[in-house]
Amino acid sequence: MDPKKIAVVINGFIHDFTSGYWVSAMITIYFLHDFRLQYPALAIPVNQIERFFFWNSLLAVVIILLTGAGRTFTYVDNVFGEQTEGTRRRLLIGKHIILFAIFGAGSWWAYQAAFH
């Protein structure tokens, strides 16, 4: 087995897994925030849990960016042909612009929910 290929697969797995974790953290903060508003007596402990998920979500974004940077250097061959690869790369750029906006807006919302 080629160690480089194994590293590429592990990097991709971590990237995808951490992206899913980030989404899960946002959903958790949403439900905890709603719960905290419904039960003010539990606001302090629930807020601490919200903040835990907020800080973990920021760590997830850092890991996503690092592993995404790693992916940049592993998908460089013209596997599908030059024209198809050009289209794929343009679509990937558009996808990542949208995802950067989603991660930024989601992280800002999570900050607002956890700290205000």
Side-chain angles (χ1 to χ4, degrees), residues 3 8 11-12 18 23 28-29 31 35 44-45 47 53 71 75-76 81-82 85 93 99 102-103 106 108 113:
V8 168
N11 182 71
T18 311
V23 171
T28 301
I29 291 169
F31 284 114
F35 186 82
I44 292 173
N47 190 256
F53 279 103
R71 277 183 153 184
Y75 296 103
V76 293
E82 192 173 324
E85 283 296 320
I93 290 169
L99 288 175
I102 290 170
F103 279 114
W108 177 251

Side-chain angles (χ1 to χ4, degrees), residues 19-75:
S19 297
Y21 177 83
W22 182 85
V23 171
S24 299
M26 294 299 105
I27 293 167
T28 301
I29 291 169
Y30 173 81
F31 284 114
L32 286 172
H33 190 69
D34 190 46
F35 186 82
R36 181 180 64 169
L37 295 175
Q38 289 179 5
Y39 302 97
L42 298 174
I44 292 173
V46 171
N47 190 256
Q48 290 175 337
I49 297 168
E50 275 184 305
R51 290 178 182 187
F52 169 83
F53 279 103
F54 169 75
W55 290 115
N56 278 282
S57 73
L58 286 187
L59 177 61
V61 169
V62 170
I63 293 170
I64 292 163
L65 291 172
L66 291 174
T67 55
R71 277 183 153 184
T72 301
F73 301 106
T74 59
Y75 296 103

Side-chain angles (χ1 to χ4, degrees), residues 5-20:
K5 289 181 181 180
I6 293 170
V8 168
V9 170
I10 290 172
N11 182 71
F13 173 80
I14 292 170
H15 182 78
D16 295 341
F17 181 83
T18 311
S19 297

